[in-house]
Amino acid sequence: SKIIVDWTKKDTTVECSSTWMGRPGILFLDSRAFNSVAAQSQAKAGVGGSMARFALKNDYLYTVTNSNLNVFNISQSLDPALVNTVPIGWNIETIFPFKDNLFIGSSSGMFIYGTSNPVQPNKLSMFSHARVCDPVIADDNFAFVTLRSGNMCGGFTNQLDVLNISNLSAPTLIKTYQLTNPHGLSKYGDLLFICDGAAGLKVFDAKDVNNLKLLKTISNIDTYDVIAYNNIAMVVAKDGLYQYSIGSNNQVNFLSKLSLQRSK
């Protein structure tokens, strides 16, 4: 019912270091990490995957580099401004917003930062683990952290850690579940979706975190990240983007696939 009558074209350049994991002169950009659901400039929230390196919250965009948390004021959508840089540590990998907190994954542990002052996020706690990659998501009482080995992650651990975060200043481990090579994850109600690499997409009943029940394994896809939102699970895999419907009685069914053709 609407047509475009005019627009403003503008290029925005952000300078960043070209050092990654101690290897100068190489900059890795993973387009699959830029998977937030697009929002209009007036929107106050975004939905991102657990492998994302940025998070949108109200008038601020939070991004992580290898060692810092950057805060951008985006209240003026055509003129975003970097307003603060907060040193975190090393080998920072992912960021996930939930309510007034930011859950940040690194190769050595999970950080929780509060945003009561959105310009100056403050460290609330850290949960340490062995050196592995660890995307993290959270809800009101629990954080779910997948730990995986291989590639730049190192280590030999492939598992899901469930943490009690009722006290944000002192997260504690509740239980560990063994997996194959877990990557991104997402929670939708009592359903927990885990991208277990080449082992496919695994769907768990997470109503009781002490007794996760595997409801379904979707095989024959090499999975990377998942966003469960508005009755749809969007799964980024090695060969494309898959969509699954989330129905009543925890039914998860295939809807579509957008194939990815890689250039040689």
Side-chain angles (χ1 to χ4, degrees), residues 197-202 216-223 237 239 242 244 254:
L201 177 69
K202 295 183 177 179
K216 187 171 186 177
T217 297
I218 301 174
S219 304
N220 301 318
I221 56 172
D222 193 341
T223 55
D239 61 343
Y242 292 76
Y244 297 88
F254 175 79

Side-chain angles (χ1 to χ4, degrees), residues 180-200:
T180 302
N181 192 229
H183 289 62
L185 66 167
S186 186
K187 194 166 183 285
Y188 191 78
D190 290 331
L191 293 182
L192 178 65
F193 295 82
I194 298 181
C195 293
D196 204 8

Side-chain angles (χ1 to χ4, degrees), residues 113-189:
Y113 274 74
T115 59
S116 55
N117 179 352
V119 179
Q120 185 65 53
N122 60 300
K123 181 180 176 181
L124 300 177
S125 61
M126 177 187 179
F127 180 84
S128 299
H129 56 63
R131 177 177 166 79
V132 284
C133 290
D134 76 331
V136 55
I137 62 170
D139 59 20
D140 286 314
N141 298 303
F142 307 104
F144 301 85
V145 184
T146 57
L147 310 180
R148 75 180 187 277
S149 61
N151 299 324
M152 293 182 296
C153 303
F156 301 95
T157 300
N158 289 283
Q159 65 191 42
L160 169 72
D161 282 352
V162 182
L163 309 179
N164 185 327
I165 56 170
S166 55
N167 181 356
L168 292 170
S169 299
T172 57
L173 177 66
I174 297 177
K175 193 168 182 179
T176 292
Y177 296 86
Q178 297 302 314
L179 292 166
T180 302
N181 192 229
H183 289 62
L185 66 167
S186 186
K187 194 166 183 285
Y188 191 78

Side-chain angles (χ1 to χ4, degrees), residues 35-257:
N35 53 11
S36 288
V37 175
Q40 297 179 0
S41 60
Q42 295 85 1
K44 295 297 182 182
V47 179
S50 62
M51 305 291 280
R53 297 182 67 87
F54 61 91
L56 180 65
K57 180 173 169 39
N58 296 322
D59 289 330
Y60 295 91
L61 176 69
Y62 299 94
T63 71
V64 290
T65 65
N66 190 44
S67 57
N68 295 323
L69 170 62
N70 295 317
V71 184
F72 294 85
N73 186 321
I74 57 171
S75 57
Q76 300 297 320
S77 58
L78 296 180
D79 189 24
L82 176 64
V83 294
N84 197 8
T85 295
V86 181
I88 302 177
W90 291 102
N91 301 329
I92 305 302
E93 297 166 344
T94 62
I95 181 171
F96 182 86
F98 184 76
K99 293 188 174 178
D100 292 329
N101 302 298
L102 301 173
F103 294 81
I104 298 172
S106 77
S107 65
S108 58
M110 177 196 72
F111 297 88
I112 303 177
Y113 274 74
T115 59
S116 55
N117 179 352
V119 179
Q120 185 65 53
N122 60 300
K123 181 180 176 181
L124 300 177
S125 61
M126 177 187 179
F127 180 84
S128 299
H129 56 63
R131 177 177 166 79
V132 284
C133 290
D134 76 331
V136 55
I137 62 170
D139 59 20
D140 286 314
N141 298 303
F142 307 104
F144 301 85
V145 184
T146 57
L147 310 180
R148 75 180 187 277
S149 61
N151 299 324
M152 293 182 296
C153 303
F156 301 95
T157 300
N158 289 283
Q159 65 191 42
L160 169 72
D161 282 352
V162 182
L163 309 179
N164 185 327
I165 56 170
S166 55
N167 181 356
L168 292 170
S169 299
T172 57
L173 177 66
I174 297 177
K175 193 168 182 179
T176 292
Y177 296 86
Q178 297 302 314
L179 292 166
T180 302
N181 192 229
H183 289 62
L185 66 167
S186 186
K187 194 166 183 285
Y188 191 78
D190 290 331
L191 293 182
L192 178 65
F193 295 82
I194 298 181
C195 293
D196 204 8
L201 177 69
K202 295 183 177 179
V203 185
F204 292 86
D205 181 345
K207 187 175 183 179
D208 179 3
V209 296
N210 287 288
N211 185 28
L212 296 187
K213 297 179 180 178
L214 180 62
L215 300 177
K216 187 171 186 177
T217 297
I218 301 174
S219 304
N220 301 318
I221 56 172
D222 193 341
T223 55
Y224 179 79
D225 201 6
V226 55
I227 299 175
Y229 179 76
N230 197 26
N231 297 318
I232 299 291
M234 294 169 283
V235 181
V236 178
K238 190 174 182 179
D239 61 343
L241 174 67
Y242 292 76
Q243 291 192 98
Y244 297 88
S245 64
I246 305 173
S248 58
N249 300 319
N250 295 331
Q251 295 297 310
V252 177
N253 297 303
F254 175 79
L255 283 178
S256 66
K257 174 189 177 183

Side-chain angles (χ1 to χ4, degrees), residues 10-27:
K10 180 177 179 180
D11 290 333
T12 301
T13 301
V14 178
E15 295 183 0
C16 62
S17 171
S18 61
T19 299
W20 174 260
M21 299 292 286
R23 284 173 254 181
I26 302 176
L27 178 65

